Amino acid sequence: MKAAAIIPAYNEAPTVAKVIRAAQAAPSISEVIVADGESVDGTPDIARAEGARVVSVAGGKGEGMAAGVAATDADVIVFLDADLTGLRPDHVERLVRSVTEDGAGMALGLFDRGRWLNPIFLHLLPRLTGERALRRELFTSLSPKDCRGYRVEAALNSRAAELGERVEAYVLDGMFHRTKEEKHGNPVLGFAKKVAMLSVAVWEYLAYQLRRRVRLSGRGG
Ligand SMILES: O=c1ccn([C@@H]2O[C@H](COP(=O)(O)OP(=O)(O)O)[C@@H](O)[C@H]2O)c(=O)[nH]1
Ligand SMILES: O=C(O)[C@@H](COP(=O)(O)O)O[C@H]1O[C@H](CO)[C@@H](O)[C@H](O)[C@H]1O
């Protein structure tokens, strides 16, 4: 079974090379594709120098992920953000094997936020992580609307639930990311960008919950 790593990236020059290398070193990964959203910081050149395939896409994160999936015939896809820190090959391998060997419909790798926060993000909050492995059919069952920008992870979570897929979720120890505050060098701007991003994801999550209740009430549930 062929597995491809797809890395959506927009201006991630400081971190993209290490993410690519971690994916390349995972035994199950046969190809690494960077879906570049027209970066202006040299991200695509760095990616090519690391041996990744680069597809250029106009649009946001979800559009980049869709372009990456369209560029491969891999049966299993593992999405990785380009801004990760501490990502190891065994993290990537675990995500893939959760799908190829453990029979999960989707596997979610969460940031390591420490012993007190990890249980909250793992069990109490919508799991919006960008680090996830799944069969390509689950991703291609999304509509183009689902793949717009930052709504894509929440849309994937909703679709997996609607299809009754078994989802495995776990913390990838030591893995985190460059936060928006770090990227923008301005805590206020970074926080505003995070709020804008999460509001899109939360809206999608709430829309799913509403659809689900309407469906259940229609069944007299
Ligand atoms: O228009 C965009 C915005 C973000 N990203 C990528 O999507 C991932 C997650 O985005 P972001 O860093 O904005 O979210 P965060 O990591 O803060 O949750 C990163 O690899 C970004 O480079 C992208 O490909 N296109
Ligand atoms: O992991 C999460 O809960 C959020 C927010 O993480 P941070 O508060 O920025 O560490 O980040 C995710 O949400 C985005 C929207 O779904 C995804 O696009 C990101 O890849 C993912 O990091």
Side-chain angles (χ1 to χ4, degrees):
M1 189 170 291
K2 184 178 174 184
I6 294 177
I7 305 171
Y10 179 67
N11 290 340
E12 303 292 3
T15 49
V16 68
K18 285 188 176 178
V19 175
I20 292 168
R21 289 178 205 146
Q24 289 168 330
S28 295
I29 295 296
S30 59
E31 64 178 322
V32 178
I33 297 169
V34 170
D36 179 66
E38 299 175 330
S39 299
V40 295
D41 70 345
T43 294
D45 296 335
I46 294 168
R48 289 188 191 95
E50 291 295 331
R53 281 176 62 198
V54 176
V55 293
S56 184
V57 58
K61 180 181 187 182
E63 290 89 344
M65 291 163 68
V69 172
T72 178
D73 62 356
D75 313 288
V76 174
I77 306 292
V78 58
F79 292 114
L80 300 167
D81 286 353
D83 62 357
L84 299 176
T85 56
L87 180 72
R88 302 193 309 260
D90 61 287
H91 290 150
V92 181
E93 193 66 14
R94 182 181 182 189
L95 287 169
V96 176
R97 290 180 183 227
S98 292
V99 175
T100 59
E101 295 181 4
D102 301 347
M106 182 161 67
L108 307 177
L110 273 66
F111 292 145
D112 189 348
R113 293 180 169 92
R115 59 187 295 195
W116 301 112
L117 285 178
N118 283 346
I120 295 171
F121 279 80
L122 202 52
H123 303 299
L124 298 180
L125 294 174
R127 295 176 299 209
L128 300 174
T129 181
E131 288 60 62
R132 52 185 66 211
L134 67 164
R135 293 191 184 289
R136 70 174 300 117
E137 296 80 25
L138 177 54
F139 186 87
T140 54
S141 74
L142 294 182
S143 68
K145 182 183 170 190
D146 290 330
C147 295
R148 283 187 199 154
Y150 288 118
R151 67 188 307 154
V152 61
E153 282 92 4
L156 273 171
N157 291 353
S158 303
R159 179 56 46 82
E162 286 163 355
L163 295 173
E165 295 283 1
R166 183 169 68 81
V167 177
E168 281 188 20
Y170 33 77
V171 171
L172 297 178
D173 62 294
M175 183 199 72
F176 198 58
H177 70 142
R178 286 182 74 229
T179 63
K180 285 182 168 45
E181 290 83 347
E182 289 171 280
K183 292 179 188 178
H184 295 281
N186 175 327
V188 174
L189 176 60
F191 182 73
K193 294 264 187 183
K194 182 188 294 189
V195 169
M197 172 187 75
L198 292 177
S199 62
V200 169
V202 168
W203 180 252
E204 165 57 34
Y205 174 76
L206 294 176
Y208 161 69
Q209 291 299 335
L210 179 63
R211 292 197 304 270
R212 180 170 167 271
R213 288 184 191 334
V214 167
R215 195 165 55 244
L216 291 174
S217 62
R219 292 182 197 152

